[in-house]
Amino acid sequence: MLAYVGRRLAQVVPMLLLLSFVVFALLHLAPYDVVDAVTTPQMSAETVALIRERYGLDQPFLVQYGLWLSNVLQGDLGYSLVSRHAIADDLAARIPATVLLVAPAYIAALLLAMVLGLVAAARRGTWTDRAIDALCGIGIATPSFWFALLVIYVFGYHLRWFPIIGMHSVGKQGDPVDFLLHFVMPFLVLTVAFFPDIARYVRSAAISQLDQDYVLVQRAFGATRGEVFARHVSRNVLLPIITQLGLALPLLVTGAIVTESIFGWPGVGPYFLTATRSLDYPVILAVLLLSATLVIIGNLIADILYVLADPRIRIGAAR
Amino acid sequence: MTRRSTAAAALLLTGAFALAACAPAGGDDPESGGSEATGEFSYIIAGDPTSLNPINVSDRWGLTVTNLVYSPLARVEADGSVRNELAESIEPAADGLSVTVTLKEGLTWSDGEPLTADDVVFTYTQKAIRENGNADLLWIGDAPITAAAADERTVVFTLPSVSAAALSNIATETYIIPEHVYGDVTDFSGAELDPVAVGSGPYVLTEYERGQYLTFEANPEFYGEAPNIEDVTLRIVANADTVNTALQTGEADASFATPEQIDQLEASGLDIYPYAEGRVAYLGLNLATPELTDQRVRQAIFSALDREEINTATWLSDEYYDSAYTFLPPGNPFATDDVETYDTDVDAAKALLAEAGAEDLTLTIAYAAADPAQTTQATLIQQQLQDAGITVELAGVEPAAVYTEIEKGAESAYHAFLGGYIMGQDPDAYSLLFRSGASANYFHYASPTADALFDEGAAQLDPDARAEVYARLQAQIAEDAVIYPLADNLKILAVNSRIGGVEDATPVPIYTLENFGLLTER
């Protein structure tokens, strides 16, 4: 088991190297001059040259990549080109805000999806199933920015129940009621964005379980449908759900880019969008690397949880 | 949906909305409509300030913050007049080689220390260091302007050579920082000073939550009139729709708006203040491309265009733009009307094209696809030039990419592009755009006549003679058909009606308001 985990972690390194190189190369292929992000037309050619030199932008592509890489290997994500602020500090301030929003929304979406998915599976082919399916279809097809604007219009503008901007009112950090008021609308938007996919997943997983022989056997022994669902089907459905949980790990960083930007939520989203707009490549690379690392780690965690949840599965065993 | 899940959903919603009922009944309750005095003015800005260091700050929001917290010696107003701030008097020497500035009496920093001539000398010396990143205005040719303290309240600036532009640049745009706080700092090229912000402006910075807001409170040591509103908050919101709604609910007091939003904002009771920023939106030609080296072709293109049609389509009403005819914005004291304005004349355009042997002209025009204004302009330009027999291909790209491509000159894929610039009051600043080989000369314009006029204008100290030089220069550049100026599109400030005194606070380019302290609560 440990050897397996070690081997999987070792695979992460070349993948991240390749990923960072590709992102770096693509950013350099873009038809922009990165120095434009930090200069203004009022600056003379000498000043622009000075700035270019200070930020190392006058170096050849491979030298720039090498410098960046050696810093990252020493644990230094570097500085934003635009604000000259340490990226690690910025991310340390922003990731908790994103987690605080995404994690509850994902858990709520998961619970909602479990309920809806199992109900749909249990009533397969009835109008209930079709209604849930339609609901999920609409949910998947609705862009979250549009839904966010709709929510803002109804609850923020028309009814004026909730404030629109940010995570808390100015000067009210740590006030839980104030936080919750700001939290409700983006939470609702994200939950709606997350649940339809999972619900459909749960439904199909549950249906494939219902076709299993053990269900027939249980029914033959006189178990009610509710008992079959509660004791057997729902447990077996959990297994694929665990995979989903692992795969959802990167959402904790990049799961709410659009929603955060619309609500002015001070998470990773607006930070990443601003950086992309100004080609602030150290920031773009840092966020992408973090997100890619989480994808890989999430997969690994999913595989390990699989083993823990189902004793029939063995990994890393001798062939 | 089953009965059970309906109940669950209902419970979830009830729970969420019960929270709304818990809303504190305080001043910031959005339902109150913000009609009572809160002692706070909240202004929405679109992003974090790039720099909070007055030595090198050059971005809009960084300058807005700087102007709240620090003070310059003086400012140049929209009409070209000088308004003293820290300075009591500014006396240029007759030979144009020095300027003597006397400070007001009894100036103090926000920490209570006296503000003296030494602080001024310290600030200008640091700013003139090229490595610190914003020294251009304090250099003439290849030598810096130097400053020396004659006594506690008197600073003498010495110019390396005569420069009319420098005379107006010296006292303005440089925000004084305290030597007793930052005297030991060796590198001023960073984006933040440590500790942050001891200043002499109307407000002091109290808190900065990156990505969220900056809060300020009135500076009790401010030399001018004490600010009417005790607290100012700059909230950072990037999404324009969110800003629009927050203004209407009263969650924020003010922000910039676009012409399309105005009807809605006015209907919600906001006051609208359009004002000129001295911007010139233009169609620029790339003179290096083989198709456009012939002046007659360029003049033909301009003659085929209809400025008013483009401007009205872009900015909806002439309340929101001033048409521009030269490279200077129409509100600039040096701007003139006495130039070739290229009134629409399609026949003349066709004749010019025939004369130049360029009947089958095809042009590629680049514009910022994400900018609705430029998209409208590009489409109309394409249509208008079509009438004169010129085929236009439009290339919608990112603005930064346009300039990188245009700088390739003759090899560039673009013959023309849509752009805009804000270069400030002094006409010499525009030499960066139009002098041969200048850093922002995207047009690849190289005219010995224009260069000579720029030299003459920079060295001419007599105001009338100087105005005459720049009038000739504007005529020359118009004649050479380098840029087709469209308009100075006005900046539109939308302000909650509970806030007054906007005119006294004076909307200005870049900084939004000259003095936020003069706003009042009604």
Side-chain angles (χ1 to χ4, degrees):
Chain A
M1 181 74 171
L2 273 181
Y4 171 78
V5 173
R7 205 165 60 233
R8 284 287 300 267
L9 282 178
Q11 287 170 2
V12 171
V13 178
M15 282 173 83
L16 287 183
L17 269 179
L18 183 70
L19 179 99
S20 66
F21 186 80
V22 169
V23 173
F24 205 91
L26 284 175
L27 284 171
H28 275 258
L29 281 177
Y32 309 96
D33 190 344
V34 174
V35 83
D36 287 342
V38 267
T39 59
T40 65
Q42 276 91 337
M43 290 180 180
S44 65
E46 290 101 316
T47 305
V48 173
L50 264 169
I51 291 174
R52 198 185 289 277
E53 197 179 321
R54 187 185 313 139
Y55 293 0
L57 297 173
D58 55 339
Q59 302 288 328
F61 162 70
L62 280 176
V63 176
Q64 284 191 45
Y65 179 69
L67 281 174
W68 176 83
L69 192 63
S70 79
N71 282 333
V72 169
L73 291 179
Q74 291 162 37
D76 179 5
L77 286 174
Y79 294 86
S80 152
L81 282 181
V82 177
S83 73
R84 305 307 293 153
H85 225 248
I87 295 171
D89 290 353
D90 279 348
L91 284 178
R94 283 160 179 278
I95 288 176
T98 300
V99 171
L100 210 54
L101 177 63
V102 174
Y106 194 81
I107 291 168
L110 199 63
L111 294 176
L112 184 64
M114 284 288 282
V115 173
L116 291 180
L118 289 175
V119 167
R123 315 263 158 106
R124 179 160 38 145
T126 65
W127 69 267
T128 316
D129 181 25
R130 281 198 294 274
I132 291 175
D133 188 55
L135 186 71
C136 292
I138 293 170
I140 289 170
T142 307
S144 57
F145 80 88
W146 183 82
F147 186 62
L149 291 178
L150 192 72
V151 168
I152 287 182
Y153 177 75
V154 175
F155 299 118
Y157 173 69
H158 204 69
L159 298 170
R160 312 238 168 153
W161 285 358
F162 304 110
I164 301 160
I165 307 171
M167 192 160 76
H168 45 66
S169 304
V170 175
K172 286 201 178 167
Q173 290 90 322
D175 178 339
V177 174
D178 181 67
F179 170 78
L180 284 173
L181 284 172
H182 284 84
F183 175 75
V184 171
M185 288 199 295
F187 167 81
L188 181 67
V189 170
L190 277 182
T191 307
V192 169
F194 290 149
F195 95 84
D197 279 318
I198 320 176
R200 287 197 158 175
Y201 197 78
V202 172
R203 176 182 175 273
S204 65
I207 285 174
S208 70
Q209 289 297 321
L210 286 175
D211 292 340
Q212 300 285 318
D213 293 341
Y214 75 85
V215 175
L216 197 65
V217 174
Q218 287 289 338
R219 293 303 294 269
F221 277 104
T224 64
R225 202 166 62 160
E227 280 168 354
V228 173
F229 261 88
R231 295 202 191 136
H232 304 282
V233 173
S234 59
R235 285 190 194 184
N236 280 311
V237 165
L238 266 183
L239 211 57
I241 294 297
I242 287 172
T243 326
Q244 289 288 308
L245 267 183
L247 294 176
L249 199 62
L251 288 182
L252 292 179
V253 175
T254 51
I257 291 183
V258 174
T259 309
E260 284 180 339
S261 300
I262 290 178
F263 288 97
W265 193 267
V268 181
Y271 184 59
F272 185 61
L273 276 189
T274 315
T276 316
R277 227 172 280 138
S278 52
L279 276 201
D280 197 342
Y281 72 82
V283 174
I284 303 175
L285 280 170
V287 174
L288 285 181
L289 274 194
L290 193 63
S291 165
T293 312
L294 289 179
V295 170
I296 297 167
I297 292 176
N299 270 312
L300 181 59
I301 291 175
D303 287 352
I304 294 169
L305 285 178
Y306 236 80
V307 180
L308 297 179
D310 187 344
R312 288 171 302 181
I313 301 173
R314 289 280 173 274
I315 44 176
R319 264 162 261 178
Chain B
M1 217 185 257
T2 64
R3 217 168 303 143
R4 231 173 318 155
S5 55
T6 318
L11 203 70
L12 198 81
L13 283 173
T14 320
F17 298 153
L19 279 168
C22 305
D28 58 357
D29 179 352
E31 254 185 307
S32 69
S35 52
E36 74 267 44
T38 60
E40 187 196 343
F41 172 71
S42 74
Y43 177 54
I44 299 185
I45 62 177
D48 279 295
T50 301
S51 170
L52 291 181
N53 172 1
I55 296 295
N56 67 15
V57 62
S58 60
D59 65 296
R60 181 185 287 271
W61 306 122
L63 284 162
T64 305
V65 172
T66 301
N67 183 47
L68 275 161
V69 176
Y70 302 90
S71 295
L73 293 176
R75 304 173 194 276
V76 178
E77 302 286 3
D79 59 4
S81 65
V82 173
R83 170 176 176 158
N84 289 342
E85 292 287 340
L86 296 174
E88 172 126 322
S89 68
I90 300 172
E91 303 289 344
D95 63 1
L97 285 170
S98 70
V99 180
T100 304
V101 175
T102 310
L103 299 176
K104 288 191 168 117
E105 238 173 302
L107 295 172
T108 43
W109 292 104
S110 54
D111 63 358
E113 294 288 319
L115 190 164
T116 68
D118 288 335
D119 293 310
V120 178
V121 172
F122 172 71
T123 306
Y124 277 83
T125 309
Q126 290 301 333
K127 197 174 169 184
I129 297 172
R130 278 211 185 272
E131 283 70 20
N132 288 341
N134 200 11
D136 291 338
L137 285 180
L138 297 181
W139 282 62
I140 301 169
D142 45 14
I145 294 167
T146 55
D151 61 49
E152 279 276 282
R153 282 176 51 212
T154 314
V155 185
V156 180
F157 293 95
T158 310
L159 282 61
S161 58
V162 174
S163 163
L167 283 182
S168 82
N169 285 341
I170 284 180
T172 61
E173 300 275 333
T174 296
Y175 286 78
I176 308 302
I177 59 171
E179 185 179 20
H180 72 273
V181 179
Y182 304 118
D184 296 331
V185 176
T186 48
D187 179 13
F188 277 98
S189 64
E192 247 169 58
L193 293 176
D194 181 40
V196 160
V198 172
S200 60
Y203 287 90
V204 273
L205 178 66
T206 46
E207 196 187 358
Y208 178 16
E209 285 277 339
R210 204 160 272 275
Q212 300 185 62
Y213 52 78
L214 301 102
T215 56
F216 304 84
E217 64 184 30
N219 171 11
E221 307 286 346
F222 184 51
Y223 58 88
E225 208 177 302
N228 296 321
I229 300 180
E230 180 66 22
D231 295 314
V232 167
T233 305
L234 303 186
R235 295 214 77 169
I236 299 161
V237 185
N239 187 286
D241 296 310
T242 312
V243 174
N244 199 9
T245 316
L247 286 175
Q248 294 179 57
T249 60
E251 195 173 334
D253 290 318
S255 186
F256 284 130
T258 56
E260 309 83 67
Q261 297 171 335
I262 286 173
D263 287 346
Q264 205 186 1
L265 290 173
E266 276 183 331
S268 298
L270 280 103
D271 297 328
I272 303 295
Y273 301 89
Y275 70 96
E277 273 210 310
R279 179 176 191 262
V280 178
Y282 62 87
L283 170 73
L285 300 184
N286 178 357
L287 273 55
T289 51
E291 291 86 346
L292 297 179
T293 42
D294 191 328
Q295 185 183 352
R296 289 169 298 184
V297 177
R298 305 195 300 263
Q299 289 175 338
I301 295 172
F302 290 1
S303 302
L305 295 173
D306 181 344
R307 183 179 279 110
E308 290 314 312
E309 189 183 40
I310 298 172
N311 289 345
T312 320
T314 312
W315 294 293
L316 304 183
S317 153
D318 59 8
E319 282 172 62
Y320 308 128
Y321 70 84
D322 294 333
S323 291
Y325 301 96
T326 81
F327 71 86
L328 290 178
N332 190 291
F334 289 88
T336 172
D337 291 338
D338 193 13
V339 298
E340 174 57 62
T341 54
Y342 299 102
D343 295 333
T344 316
D345 187 343
V346 177
D347 294 333
K350 283 180 177 162
L352 275 167
L353 286 174
E355 199 182 311
E359 283 96 341
D360 297 328
L361 190 60
T362 301
L363 300 174
T364 305
I365 300 182
Y367 69 100
D371 178 353
Q374 287 197 8
T375 310
T376 309
Q377 290 161 4
T379 325
L380 271 172
I381 287 169
Q382 182 180 43
Q383 190 188 319
Q384 290 170 0
L385 292 185
Q386 188 68 53
D387 295 342
I390 303 170
T391 312
V392 172
E393 283 163 12
L394 295 178
V397 272
E398 279 287 305
V402 175
Y403 294 111
T404 312
E405 178 65 28
I406 276 289
E407 273 162 14
K408 293 179 188 162
E411 277 82 52
S412 166
Y414 307 141
H415 300 99
F417 62 101
L418 289 168
Y421 52 70
I422 299 179
M423 302 301 282
Q425 287 280 1
D426 195 275
D428 186 52
Y430 296 77
S431 63
L432 284 172
L433 294 161
F434 298 104
R435 195 193 279 274
S436 310
S439 60
N441 187 337
Y442 310 115
F443 322 103
H444 304 281
Y445 175 55
S447 154
T449 321
D451 290 352
L453 285 168
F454 270 120
D455 288 340
E456 201 184 329
Q460 178 57 261
L461 295 180
D462 176 59
D464 293 334
R466 196 165 183 235
E468 200 269 321
V469 171
Y470 284 108
R472 265 161 51 211
L473 184 53
Q474 288 168 75
Q476 179 70 40
I477 292 179
E479 176 74 24
D480 288 339
V482 183
I483 66 165
Y484 184 78
L486 292 168
D488 180 355
N489 54 305
L490 304 190
K491 210 70 185 169
I492 301 163
L493 188 63
V495 184
N496 192 319
S497 55
R498 74 178 192 92
I499 299 290
V502 175
E503 258 98 26
D504 296 332
T506 320
V508 287
I510 312 290
Y511 310 101
T512 309
L513 294 172
E514 190 169 277
N515 183 356
F516 280 75
L518 297 179
L519 292 174
T520 56
E521 287 186 282
R522 282 182 180 142

